[in-house]
Amino acid sequence: MKCYVPGPNVKVLGRTIHALARFGDELYLESLVDCVRLRTLNTAESAYAMVKFNKNFFSYFNYNYNSNNDNDGPKCKISMKSALNTFKSPAHMDKQVENLEIKLELDQCKLIFQFKCKHGIIKTHYVSILDSKVTQAVYTKDLVPNRITSSQRILSEAISNFQSSDDQVTLEALSHSILLRNYIDDNIDLSKIIRTQINIKSEEFDSYTVDEETAVTFTMKEFKALLTFAEALGLPIQIQFETTGKPIVFIIHNGTTLEAHFVLATTKPDVTTQASTTQKSSRVERNKRKDSSNLTESASKKPHLEEDISKCLDEDSHLFNFVDIPNEEIPTNNCDNSVNVENNNLVDIKDCDNIPASPTSKTMIKSLFKKCFESTFDPRSTQDVVLAGNSDSE
């Protein structure tokens, strides 16, 4: 196989390689009589992408048919990483590259990309062939009950409202609108996540046919990749799907030179997960009403509770009355053994229920040297009494 890609189409080919890299790690190339197909498949085999370039996409196309089987042609498998290194910065390729030559040499196990740039610069990339086989996905895109044609802008604006952590998106097709919402597992606490739902009316789409209402869930990563590819080419997106568990197909084509199919597997979520957000919200509202009724019932029981508490306090009121708060003035008539001191008129309280305060230091001193302050005390009476002998040896 040998073909030439003009400068403006090199940019489209480069964007195609980058879009397919979001799907799989290996790139399959197949050359037919009237077109060249690029395919890829993710490791989980849940997402498949195929881009077909018709013969008029190339400025020169030599098929080099060497097989006895009319349905077979030159084909190979290369690493996606090698393809990305070949097509770096596809947005500026149309300004730098004048022509691209692609040659497939199966006998040498090489796929050659030769860029003829401006000012006579030639860049040649030799990519090793990993295998001479290609993969093919089996899916149905005809006679499906649900067909929607939309501009990429509407879907891109809707997806921009979702969180970057959302791994899956659910598309629920109704008779007059579609609902896009992030997939939520029932095992996750709803109070700790953000739920997003976008309602798009059927009038917003170019064409809208939903004969069988259903909801399908698919991966967000590949969906964003095909939206970016459609936005770069400025082409609408055709969505074709049947029901839950059957693959959903996204088709992007310009009618003459390019046609891309992106096939995503859909999961079969639980019944509770498949329910619409309105059903979930109604369940939350029922729980709220139940909680409010419990609060009302507890509020209605509150007066009885207060009466029971007050009754209990009345019966055990002696527990709170064993302490008497004394007045500022100490009563003298309640204590029979009270003694008045003439000097300071202090009250000496003995054998009284009321416990007096601790005496001051001055009171303690007067109590110890009480005889010294008595008027009848005679110091001469203690002169001849030796209370302690001299400590000196003399």
Side-chain angles (χ1 to χ4, degrees):
M1 183 199 74
K2 183 178 180 180
C3 60
Y4 290 92
V5 183
N9 292 348
V10 175
K11 179 179 179 180
V12 177
L13 181 60
R15 290 188 178 276
T16 303
I17 298 296
H18 280 259
L20 296 180
R22 300 287 299 274
F23 281 76
D25 298 330
E26 297 173 342
L27 179 65
Y28 299 88
L29 185 145
E30 182 181 9
S31 177
L32 300 177
V33 178
D34 56 347
C35 65
V36 173
R37 292 178 181 175
L38 300 179
R39 295 190 179 98
T40 188
L41 181 69
N42 65 348
T43 55
E45 297 184 356
S46 60
Y48 168 82
M50 186 276 296
V51 181
K52 181 178 68 174
F53 298 100
N54 295 329
K55 190 176 181 179
N56 53 5
F57 179 81
F58 308 94
S59 59
Y60 172 80
F61 185 80
N62 187 0
Y63 174 58
N64 283 337
Y65 180 74
N66 295 322
S67 178
N68 295 327
N69 192 348
D70 295 339
N71 295 327
D72 293 338
K75 49 193 175 183
C76 66
K77 179 179 72 173
I78 63 174
S79 172
M80 187 66 73
K81 184 177 180 180
S82 300
L84 288 176
N85 293 331
T86 302
F87 292 88
K88 294 181 179 180
S89 303
H92 305 285
M93 278 189 170
D94 57 339
K95 299 179 181 179
Q96 301 174 358
V97 180
E98 296 180 350
N99 193 4
L100 170 62
E101 180 182 357
I102 303 176
K103 290 191 296 183
L104 176 58
E105 298 179 356
L106 294 176
D107 53 346
Q108 298 181 6
C109 298
K110 292 181 180 180
L111 180 62
I112 304 173
F113 296 93
Q114 190 175 71
F115 295 90
K116 295 181 180 179
C117 305
K118 295 181 179 179
H119 309 291
I121 300 175
I122 298 176
K123 299 179 181 181
T124 305
H125 297 265
Y126 297 92
V127 181
S128 300
I129 296 176
L130 302 178
D131 199 353
S132 60
K133 297 180 180 180
V134 297
T135 183
Q136 176 66 36
V138 179
Y139 58 93
T140 302
K141 67 182 183 65
D142 299 327
L143 302 178
V144 293
N146 303 323
R147 295 171 177 266
I148 301 174
T149 303
S150 171
S151 63
Q152 51 79 26
R153 179 183 58 83
I154 295 177
L155 297 177
S156 297
E157 292 178 354
I159 292 300
S160 63
N161 295 281
F162 290 83
Q163 302 294 319
S164 58
S165 59
D166 294 333
D167 296 332
Q168 293 180 320
V169 59
T170 299
L171 185 149
E172 184 175 358
L174 304 177
S175 58
H176 299 289
S177 64
I178 67 169
L179 299 177
L180 289 174
R181 61 176 179 270
N182 54 335
Y183 176 77
I184 299 174
D185 192 358
D186 284 346
N187 297 327
I188 301 177
D189 187 4
L190 297 179
S191 61
K192 297 181 180 180
I193 61 175
I194 299 176
R195 301 194 309 176
T196 306
Q197 177 172 299
I198 307 297
N199 188 359
I200 307 176
K201 299 296 182 181
S202 59
E203 294 79 8
E204 299 291 334
F205 301 100
D206 298 337
S207 63
Y208 190 87
T209 302
V210 175
D211 295 334
E212 183 177 352
E213 295 185 357
T214 184
V216 292
T217 301
F218 46 88
T219 56
M220 180 74 78
K221 176 185 176 181
E222 287 78 7
F223 185 48
K224 289 182 177 180
L226 66 92
L227 289 179
T228 303
F229 178 70
E231 182 180 2
L233 301 182
L235 298 176
I237 302 175
Q238 295 181 7
I239 308 174
Q240 302 179 3
F241 57 99
E242 296 183 55
T243 183
T244 303
K246 298 294 183 65
I248 181 171
V249 183
F250 300 89
I251 300 175
I252 303 172
H253 67 91
N254 60 1
T256 56
T257 61
L258 180 144
E259 183 177 354
H261 293 183
F262 300 95
V263 184
L264 304 181
T266 60
T267 59
K268 292 183 178 181
D270 298 334
V271 177
T272 55
T273 304
Q274 198 62 263
S276 61
T277 307
T278 55
Q279 295 177 354
K280 292 183 179 180
S281 61
S282 62
R283 182 174 58 186
V284 174
E285 291 296 331
R286 288 196 300 269
N287 293 335
K288 289 182 178 179
R289 289 195 296 268
K290 182 178 180 181
D291 295 338
S292 62
S293 63
N294 293 335
L295 292 176
T296 305
E297 183 179 358
S298 62
S300 62
K301 294 181 179 179
K302 186 175 180 181
H304 301 283
L305 181 61
E306 293 179 351
E307 292 177 0
D308 296 337
I309 293 177
S310 61
K311 183 179 179 181
C312 179
L313 293 179
D314 293 337
E315 293 176 355
D316 298 336
S317 59
H318 62 278
L319 298 176
F320 302 92
N321 297 331
F322 71 96
V323 177
D324 290 334
I325 301 176
N327 297 328
E328 294 181 358
E329 298 180 356
I330 301 176
T332 59
N333 54 357
N334 293 334
C335 188
D336 297 334
N337 297 324
S338 61
V339 178
N340 292 331
V341 181
E342 295 178 357
N343 293 333
N344 267 345
N345 295 327
L346 295 177
V347 180
D348 188 7
I349 304 175
K350 297 179 180 180
D351 297 334
C352 184
D353 294 336
N354 295 329
I355 301 175
S358 300
T360 60
S361 60
K362 187 175 181 181
T363 306
M364 293 293 294
I365 291 173
K366 289 184 178 181
S367 298
L368 294 175
F369 302 95
K370 184 177 180 181
K371 289 185 178 182
C372 298
F373 295 95
E374 292 180 354
S375 59
T376 59
F377 175 72
D378 186 6
R380 292 176 295 180
S381 60
T382 60
Q383 290 180 358
D384 297 333
V385 179
V386 179
L387 300 176
N390 294 328
S391 62
D392 296 337
S393 60
E394 294 179 358

